[in-house]
Amino acid sequence: MRKNEVKGIFNLINTSDKICIAGHKAPDGDCIGSVMALYNFLKPFNKNITVMIDGNIPYNYKAFTDESIILKNYDNEEFDLLFVLDTSDTKRLGKFEDVLKKSKKTVVIDHHKTNEGFGDINIIDNEMSSTGELLYDILKASDLDISVEVAVLIYIAILTDTGKFSYTNTTSNTHRKAAELIDLGVNVSEIDNIVYNSKPSNIVRAFIDCVSGVELYYENRLGITAITKSILDKNNADIADIDGVVEYIREIKEVEVSCVLKENDEGTKVSLRSKNNIDVSAVSVKYKGGGHAKAAGFELNENIENAKKIIIEEFKEYFV
Ligand code: 5GP
Ligand code: MN
């Protein structure tokens, strides 16, 4: 972390009045945790702060999110300072993308290796497990107090993006920072119960329907399934609330790459996970998406059946 960049950020905060904090569309734990942590950290600065996230907040993060402060639609409001967190490219801001043009200064804080740095200040570190972990370093460098509330939000960001501290992005430093957050007052099992052990039964049923549709290709090394509108309708479920299917498919012993196709109005959202050496972000970048080597995604203007064919063909070179 370069000290003068952090200084630059806090200078910008001090000289700004209207501040906006934005995260990526279809927000996950890292996005919500980081955005809400920064929001709460900045509250004592007495600024005019707006939060922008395109998409529903999943049920398990609602307890940590004040949804009343999240803007529903963008009305061309101008900001002195815009923070963009956990968002690897501007398209990922979804319906809030135009806010970039309306902000005097932009600070990008992210851990995606595919992020090319679209801000005035860019703090991008792909060695970090999560945007939350990186944000924690920045907040610590300010030498200001970190409240329990902020600590909890950062912990959630780290916990969820590391798959409970199990993915290869988890380092000894990640654990040290988690330990510091626990010292600040985070109750680990309480958070675990809210984030992971509070699934509504209809969501579990939808999850089971998605998992049971798995198809395996290339001697079981590619696992692929879909979250269709019909599964969601049948179970009265919101797509934002179905999480973990793609990780579950990866748990199959032989699976090297798992893929979940999410049906939406524009076509199909593709989620990819890799177990070992295949870099799924490289495939995603080919289709104008991005992410990490072991977790990446992109959008296709194709229906589920065509998207499936494209994915199977795309991975042929890795498996045949
Ligand atoms: P997920 O599969 O959970 O939606 O996303 C996995 C990772 O890939 C996340 O880090 C996410 O930010 C990234 N990702 C997913 N979809 C896209 C996309 O359409 N564009 C970009 N740039 N990144 C994506
Ligand atoms: Mn992240």
Side-chain angles (χ1 to χ4, degrees), residues 23-26 28 30-31 34 84-89 92 108-118 122-132 134 161 169 269 273 281 284-285 289-297:
H24 63 79
K25 71 174 170 182
D28 58 7
D30 189 24
C31 171
S34 300
V84 184
L85 307 187
D86 200 39
T87 301
S88 51
D89 62 58
R92 296 277 289 153
V108 171
I109 300 172
D110 192 19
H111 70 129
H112 291 98
K113 69 170 181 176
T114 53
N115 193 321
E116 291 174 354
F118 50 88
N122 299 292
I123 302 197
I124 298 162
D125 186 346
N126 65 21
E127 305 273 295
M128 292 283 166
S129 66
S130 50
T131 299
L134 179 56
D161 246 29
N169 60 2
K269 173 76 217 280
R273 296 294 182 272
S281 80
S284 299
V285 166
H292 311 284
K294 292 189 175 182

Side-chain angles (χ1 to χ4, degrees), residues 250-262:
R250 183 172 55 183
E251 290 183 19
I252 297 168
K253 187 177 181 192
E254 299 87 356
V255 165
E256 284 295 324
V257 171
S258 62
C259 173
V260 165
L261 306 169
K262 300 176 184 172

Side-chain angles (χ1 to χ4, degrees), residues 275-290:
K275 190 180 282 168
N276 292 302
N277 303 323
I278 295 174
D279 181 349
V280 287
S281 80
V283 173
S284 299
V285 166
K286 262 177 77 175
Y287 291 93
K288 302 205 163 24

